[in-house]
Amino acid sequence: MNIDPQNKRREDAPMPVLEAVKALGEGFATTLKHLFRRPITEEYPEEQRPLPARSRGRIVLTRDPDGEERCVACYLCSAVCPVSCISMQSAEREDGKRYARWFRINFSRCIYCGLCEEACPTCAIQLTPQFDHCKRDILDMVYEKEDLLVDHCGKNADYNFYRHAGILTRAHAKGAHPDEEAPVDVRTNLP
Amino acid sequence: MLTWLLGLLILMIKLGVVLGCLLFFAAYLVWIERKLLARLQVRIGPNRAGKFGLLQPIADAIKMLTKEDIVPQAADRMIFLLAPAIVAATALLMFAVVPFGPDIRVAGRPVAMVISDLHVGLLFVFALSSLAVYGVALGGWASNSKYSLLGGIRGAAQMISYELALGLSLVPIVMMSGSFSLVDIVNHQARYPFLLVQPVAFVIFLISAMAESKRIPFDLPEAENELGAGFHTEYSGMRFGMFFIGEYVHMQVLGALVAVFFLGGWRGPWLPPALWLMIKMLAVCLVLIWIRGTLPRLRYDQLMAIGWKVLLPAALINLWITGIVVAI
Ligand code: SF4
Ligand code: SF4
């Protein structure tokens, strides 16, 4: 026997008839009023609503402001991914810098949680607002590096990890790579 | 012999026209319902197939016909296949006694604008709506699934419960017009429609007829979320569609019956009688859709309570009062 706290009345007790008729009438009037409103439906494929930049859709691998691949194949995204849908193979370039030889995301498993983006130290892997990538064949949902790598920086357009951290390889010391500036001295950032 | 053949021919033509119109309207009633419901909820509704989605019924039909048609392995095949037909057929058959207008003369012969003017037309309608219970109960039973069986029983219980109130609400009409024939009932409303003198019977009839045809807010057999749907859980494709054709034809029957019993049937100024009947029918259907767009589905105990504790006593009291008034 539930007591409705607002009305101090047993919920299953019959309503006074007048009250009930009034409540019904209000309901019918409301729907009738709606009949004369313009529909607010968005017709999706034709009308696409711009989504917030941070909405979590299809994943891309972004590049540095210099046009270099950001990903250093550190496996952090792969490790953090709760459904293990990221796999890759790390490799080293001539100048000693690491990169992913191949990089694969199985979107049919991805749950778009965004943890990979959180984990990535270089802002390489990013989720984009594009949510409508569906395929007839489930194997087409497996994206290779060619499909993932884009030629822009995504969010954080001017962020360049190596300017801050420098590049330390077997071939060169930090700041000693050709065209490389010395890394930011973190102590100068202290107050 | 010749008259007999001619009679048969006329009957065939009438049957063809009525059946064709009914099925056509049933299809477009679905479209109207979807469109109107959408507008009541500030949506657009079907608009992909054809202009304003006008080809939607055809698209629906193609979809249903091409869907996989499953008969559960241990189902009672015969009855399983028969059940939707029973539901659709009983609804269609009710139109046999609905009069579309006064007699007309074709080539000097009087032709009744009703397929069959039965003297027991009203009883015929009740008999058929009781038969529809079999479609529901057997469909649920033959599916060989416990959900369906329970759904079928639930549906049958609901339909039987409301049948009583439905019947009793119309007895005053019979008392006032002194006839079971639908044609006579309409003729008796020459001066005023029965709605004016029997508003209570009208409300009771409308509510119980809604429950009888399983329309919202009494559509428990369709409550797929909270009750695991009902008697038609195991049905697919066009067989499932048959149940719904039955339901939409039933809705038209309901509109026609409300028009005949309470709104003066085919009577009305200027326009041809059949058109008047259709206008009234459509108006009732629109109101039903409006009700659907507004009210939430009832709980099962509420449904039973309204049927037995409200509608039935109200119908009895109404009957009693009418009896006294008529006797005086
Ligand atoms: S969004 Fe989540 S599930 Fe998808 S790849 Fe990244 S970590 Fe894995
Ligand atoms: S976490 Fe970032 S840098 Fe590391 S492998 Fe993944 S995408 Fe590349």
Side-chain angles (χ1 to χ4, degrees), chain B residues 293-328:
Chain B
T294 307
L295 296 183
R297 189 180 282 145
L298 289 178
R299 226 166 45 210
Y300 195 61
D301 59 320
Q302 293 171 332
L303 176 124
M304 281 297 169
I306 291 179
W308 291 103
K309 292 189 194 159
V310 181
L311 291 184
L312 194 60
L316 280 172
I317 293 169
N318 189 40
L319 175 59
W320 190 60
I321 294 174
T322 315
I324 293 174
V325 171
V326 169
I328 294 170

Side-chain angles (χ1 to χ4, degrees), chain A residues 24 27-29 31-32 34-41 43-46, chain B residues 36 39-45 47-48 287 290-295 299:
Chain A
L24 272 180
F28 280 104
T31 39
L32 193 65
H34 285 182
L35 187 61
F36 302 103
R37 278 217 212 138
R38 255 172 70 84
I40 53 169
T41 312
E43 292 180 86
Y44 158 62
E46 290 94 43
Chain B
L36 193 60
R39 294 305 306 266
L40 286 173
Q41 296 160 354
V42 209
R43 294 184 288 117
I44 295 180
N47 67 343
R48 295 284 135 166
V287 170
W290 183 22
I291 292 173
R292 175 174 178 179
T294 307
L295 296 183
R299 226 166 45 210

Side-chain angles (χ1 to χ4, degrees), chain A residues 14-27:
Chain A
M15 247 190 195
V17 173
L18 267 182
E19 206 178 298
V21 169
K22 185 165 159 270
L24 272 180
E26 267 169 24

Side-chain angles (χ1 to χ4, degrees), chain A residues 156-177:
Chain A
N156 329 86
D158 44 3
Y159 178 73
N160 190 339
F161 174 71
Y162 307 108
R163 294 250 172 80
H164 299 274
I167 309 172
L168 176 65
T169 65
R170 252 177 268 132
H172 301 278
K174 274 193 182 181
H177 281 262

Side-chain angles (χ1 to χ4, degrees), chain B residues 38-314:
Chain B
R39 294 305 306 266
L40 286 173
Q41 296 160 354
V42 209
R43 294 184 288 117
I44 295 180
N47 67 343
R48 295 284 135 166
K51 193 133 182 74
F52 305 119
L54 270 171
L55 299 181
Q56 191 66 41
I58 298 168
D60 286 344
I62 294 174
K63 178 177 151 196
M64 292 226 234
L65 285 171
T66 51
K67 266 197 165 174
E68 190 184 2
D69 186 16
I70 303 163
V71 178
Q73 213 167 23
D76 190 321
R77 228 187 135 78
M78 253 285 280
I79 296 178
F80 186 80
L81 304 188
L82 210 58
I86 295 177
V87 170
T90 47
L92 283 170
L93 268 174
M94 281 193 216
F95 257 91
V97 290
V98 172
F100 292 92
D103 292 5
I104 52 169
R105 296 194 85 77
V106 179
R109 287 173 50 90
V111 174
M113 285 289 278
V114 47
I115 293 176
S116 168
D117 178 16
L118 288 183
H119 291 302
V120 289
L122 204 134
L123 292 183
F124 179 76
V125 168
F126 285 134
L128 282 173
S129 70
S130 324
L131 276 180
V133 179
Y134 283 99
V136 170
L138 288 178
W141 175 77
S143 304
N144 191 34
S145 142
K146 292 182 182 65
Y147 281 123
S148 304
L149 178 62
L150 288 175
I153 294 172
R154 227 175 20 234
Q158 165 184 347
M159 290 167 82
I160 291 171
S161 306
Y162 279 86
E163 188 127 348
L164 285 168
L166 188 76
L168 284 178
S169 70
L170 287 186
V171 177
I173 301 288
V174 176
M175 278 156 65
M176 290 180 68
S177 57
S179 167
F180 277 114
S181 156
L182 270 59
V183 178
D184 287 351
I185 290 176
V186 173
N187 282 331
H188 263 271
Q189 301 179 55
R191 270 187 297 148
Y192 47 83
F194 280 155
L195 174 62
L196 299 181
V197 280
Q198 289 287 354
V200 181
F202 171 73
V203 172
I204 297 170
F205 179 78
L206 193 67
I207 295 178
S208 40
M210 263 156 58
E212 184 77 10
S213 58
K214 306 185 281 296
R215 278 200 57 86
I216 288 171
F218 304 101
D219 65 333
L220 294 174
E222 277 167 59
E224 62 271 47
N225 308 323
E226 62 265 41
L227 294 174
F231 61 95
H232 51 52
T233 323
E234 302 292 337
Y235 283 87
S236 57
M238 202 56 206
R239 272 189 241 295
F240 178 78
M242 286 274 271
F243 279 121
F244 280 85
I245 291 177
E247 202 160 293
Y248 279 91
V249 172
H250 210 133
M251 194 168 152
Q252 292 175 66
V253 172
L254 208 160
L257 291 183
V258 169
V260 165
F261 293 138
F262 295 101
L263 306 178
W266 67 73
R267 295 184 179 281
W270 310 307
L271 298 173
L275 202 60
W276 262 115
L277 187 79
M278 272 193 240
I279 291 174
K280 289 173 183 174
M281 213 166 93
L282 189 66
V284 176
C285 291
L286 292 184
V287 170
L288 288 182
I289 296 171
W290 183 22
I291 292 173
R292 175 174 178 179
T294 307
L295 296 183
R297 189 180 282 145
L298 289 178
R299 226 166 45 210
Y300 195 61
D301 59 320
Q302 293 171 332
L303 176 124
M304 281 297 169
I306 291 179
W308 291 103
K309 292 189 194 159
V310 181
L311 291 184
L312 194 60

